[in-house]
Amino acid sequence: MSDYRMLIGGALVAGDTVMDVINPATDKLLAVCPRGSAEQLDAAVAAAKQAQSGWAARSLGERQKALMRLADSLESRSEDFARLLTLEQGKPLTEATAEVAYAGAFIRHFATQGARVEVLEDGPDRRVEIHRKPLGVVGAIIPWNFPLLLIAFKLPPALVTGNTVVVKPSPTTPLTALMLGELCAEVFPPGVVNIVTDANDLGGRLSAHPDVAKISFTGSTATGRKVMQAAAETIKRITLELGGNDAAIVLPDVDPASVAPALFSGAFMNAGQVCLAIKRLYVHQDIYDELCDRLAALAIDAVVDDGFMQGAQIGPLQNRMQFEKVKGFLADAHAAGKVIAGGKAIDRPGYFIEPTIVRDVTDGDRIVDIEQFGPILPIIKFSDPEDALARANASPLGLGGSVWSKDVRRATDLAGRMDVGMAWVNKHLDFGPGIPFGGAKQSGIGMELGDAGLAEFTQLSVLNIAL
Ligand code: NAD
């Protein structure tokens, strides 16, 4: 029996079976959670399909108002959400609190947006209008690193444009999504929002479902490929936000002491489990030793602990599978370079890994070429910034990237030539609901957020009238 309920057709319901959710800081049972069946997923899609035309027929103002109410009720329970997020995801309570606040702000942003008719031509012979219609039922598939915020990337823009939604959280972090479902049940008409949990076995069914018009997916590149294949049968719209192996390039004119803290947090936030984290740090040879030492000092000083402990900066990895995977990357780091901070799993219950800095590694080493998605930062030396840029761009992934220099013009020129969806100058990991978010190359297809992201939840339709 579980205290949590899925949301299907306006009803909060038990799963046909249950599954365990583990607290990553203790490796102990946190909660028993509903596990949806294929039939329950189909019922959720059917409810969303049935509700869609009525929802789209409501005025934009009504849909916006409902989203505002959702933001209000989320914010009125923000402490409960933050605590549950730390319990299920592992991140420090400060980061969980920030994630809940961001989720509220993202919902509020889209509660002021909407698709409007654009007049392209008006006479003398014809009037051409561009309409943006809802797609229908949207499937939102969520990973475990930002279980609440990534719902707030998808649900609000889908709903404000008149779609209905079936959310499928990650099996290891379903609880905050289910808590959000309780709020959605009070705010939206039955079927407009549905939340179905699984044990990693319903994502394929949702992606292939003939009554789902679009999949908005965030997760690994490998799973993204499967979504694309499953969506092909019905020519579904897809947005894929996939893996990243972001490079940061540090030019010789920066002061290592002043940039080290920002580089450190860009790499180690959420224990490195951030798609946009700095995962390859290219540092000019003139400042290489000093910057390596400063980052190592920050890593050695960082407080790694249960997210509820006062002062905890880095929590555990989110799940055992990722913990084992990152231990493999630690072995690669020791084999390829010189580990100057951290380097091992911490001997305590839970999935804790010491923040690890590895120097004297280069492109071609697995620790550099493959996304680690954990608290390990490889630092690569370069002499020519053009060469560093070429190496940064050689990755098949292209999510984000940054260039750091006192010479903003030079850094902007280099950053503008990164093959990525999001490039920064003298910062990393800065984003907001009004700024398009997405990746180049195998980091994804399409954008989320901003006007570009909103448009992806609509079908552009031309209305051409003879005058
Ligand atoms: P994952 O691909 O294993 O899982 C993501 C989701 O897909 C889960 O809900 C999972 O149950 C579901 N899924 C599993 N099999 C499926 C299938 N066959 N069809 C459809 N869905 C299926 O990813 P993860 O391990 O949860 O997350 C980590 C990855 O996500 C990293 O690679 C990270 O870079 C990436 N990520 C990308 C972004 C971005 O915006 N680009 C943001 C966060 C995370």
Side-chain angles (χ1 to χ4, degrees):
M1 196 52 195
S2 165
D3 291 339
Y4 293 90
R5 293 280 180 276
M6 304 191 296
L7 176 60
I8 299 177
L12 293 168
V13 297
D16 278 348
T17 53
V18 291
M19 61 186 186
D20 291 348
V21 179
I22 302 297
N23 178 343
T26 59
D27 196 22
K28 297 224 164 67
L29 182 69
L30 168 62
V32 175
C33 166
R35 175 180 172 185
S37 62
E39 292 72 28
Q40 288 182 306
L41 182 76
D42 290 351
V45 173
K49 188 180 175 194
Q50 205 194 347
Q52 197 268 322
S53 56
W55 177 244
R58 295 197 176 207
S59 71
L60 174 61
E62 276 183 86
R63 294 197 299 270
Q64 290 175 328
K65 223 159 114 189
L67 281 168
M68 281 297 183
R69 277 184 61 205
L70 180 63
D72 289 344
S73 46
L74 173 69
E75 285 164 5
S76 73
R77 292 191 60 192
S78 58
E79 278 181 30
D80 296 340
F81 272 96
R83 291 184 66 79
L84 188 60
L85 195 51
T86 292
L87 282 169
E88 73 170 345
Q89 206 282 337
K91 64 185 61 187
L93 191 58
T94 45
E95 286 188 24
T97 303
E99 179 169 344
V100 177
Y102 263 65
F106 278 48
I107 297 169
R108 278 191 199 290
H109 170 81
F110 285 106
T112 64
Q113 306 294 303
R116 291 185 174 81
V117 177
E118 181 192 340
V119 179
L120 207 61
E121 288 183 30
D122 197 10
D125 303 326
R126 65 184 179 188
R127 178 180 165 90
V128 182
E129 296 175 354
I130 303 294
H131 292 247
R132 290 197 165 271
K133 299 178 178 172
L135 295 168
V137 178
V138 170
I141 302 180
I142 312 295
W144 44 256
N145 59 344
F146 289 91
L148 189 65
L149 180 58
L150 292 173
I151 297 178
F153 271 45
K154 303 176 190 304
L155 190 74
L159 293 179
V160 83
T161 45
N163 303 280
T164 52
V165 182
V166 177
V167 177
K168 196 209 76 58
S170 170
T172 57
T173 54
L175 302 180
T176 40
L178 294 174
M179 200 193 249
L180 188 73
E182 292 170 20
L183 309 186
C184 289
E186 290 169 5
V187 168
F188 299 106
V192 169
V193 176
N194 304 271
I195 302 191
V196 178
T197 46
D198 74 337
N200 237 353
D201 52 353
L202 295 181
R205 190 177 183 90
L206 185 61
S207 308
H209 203 295
D211 289 333
V212 173
K214 176 191 169 96
I215 294 288
S216 177
F217 173 85
T218 302
S220 63
T221 298
T223 311
R225 260 183 217 111
K226 290 184 194 163
V227 171
M228 202 169 176
Q229 278 167 355
E233 189 59 37
T234 51
I235 318 288
K236 263 184 199 55
R237 275 54 182 158
I238 49 172
T239 306
L240 303 178
E241 297 293 351
L242 309 178
N245 196 12
D246 284 15
I249 300 174
V250 187
L251 301 185
D253 63 353
V254 305
D255 170 20
S258 66
V259 297
L263 291 169
F264 186 80
S265 69
F268 290 95
M269 178 195 282
N270 201 17
Q273 302 163 114
V274 182
C275 54
L276 284 172
I278 299 173
K279 293 173 185 143
R280 297 177 285 159
L281 183 59
Y282 290 87
V283 178
H284 191 272
Q285 60 188 8
D286 290 357
I287 53 165
Y288 186 78
D289 289 340
E290 187 183 348
L291 191 51
C292 285
D293 289 348
R294 290 201 177 267
L295 287 165
L298 289 169
I300 289 162
D301 284 350
V303 180
V304 184
D305 210 336
D306 186 314
F308 285 107
M309 296 306 287
Q310 189 76 25
Q313 286 169 271
I314 297 178
L317 276 286
Q318 199 282 315
N319 55 72
R320 176 165 290 284
M321 208 166 107
Q322 190 63 17
F323 181 56
E324 297 303 331
K325 211 164 138 185
V326 172
K327 283 199 275 183
F329 283 117
L330 284 177
D332 292 334
H334 285 287
K338 187 171 171 202
V339 173
I340 53 172
K344 58 182 191 322
I346 300 177
D347 185 16
R348 60 178 280 181
Y351 313 138
F352 292 92
I353 299 238
E354 293 174 343
T356 297
I357 305 282
V358 53
R359 54 170 289 168
D360 304 332
V361 285
T362 191
D363 305 83
D365 292 333
R366 197 169 165 270
I367 191 66
V368 175
D369 289 358
I370 312 283
E371 175 186 34
Q372 315 94 19
F373 221 61
I376 309 177
L377 181 62
I379 312 183
I380 306 118
K381 190 189 286 184
F382 71 85
S383 54
D384 173 10
E386 290 296 331
D387 177 49
L389 178 66
R391 289 200 259 161
N393 282 343
S395 172
L397 301 180
L399 194 54
S402 58
V403 180
W404 302 65
S405 170
K406 281 188 182 139
D407 183 344
V408 173
R409 276 182 63 181
R410 186 169 184 222
T412 303
D413 168 59
L414 281 166
R417 289 187 284 132
M418 291 182 121
D419 289 341
V420 295
M422 293 162 279
W424 294 279
V425 172
N426 290 329
K427 58 184 173 179
H428 205 104
L429 249 175
D430 179 27
F431 63 95
I435 305 172
F437 183 109
K441 300 190 279 187
Q442 292 182 34
S443 286
I445 290 187
M447 302 303 278
E448 293 194 282
L449 309 182
D451 291 345
L454 191 81
E456 296 213 13
F457 287 101
T458 65
Q459 173 63 50
L460 189 153
S461 173
V462 176
L463 191 57
N464 192 331
I465 309 146
L467 294 177

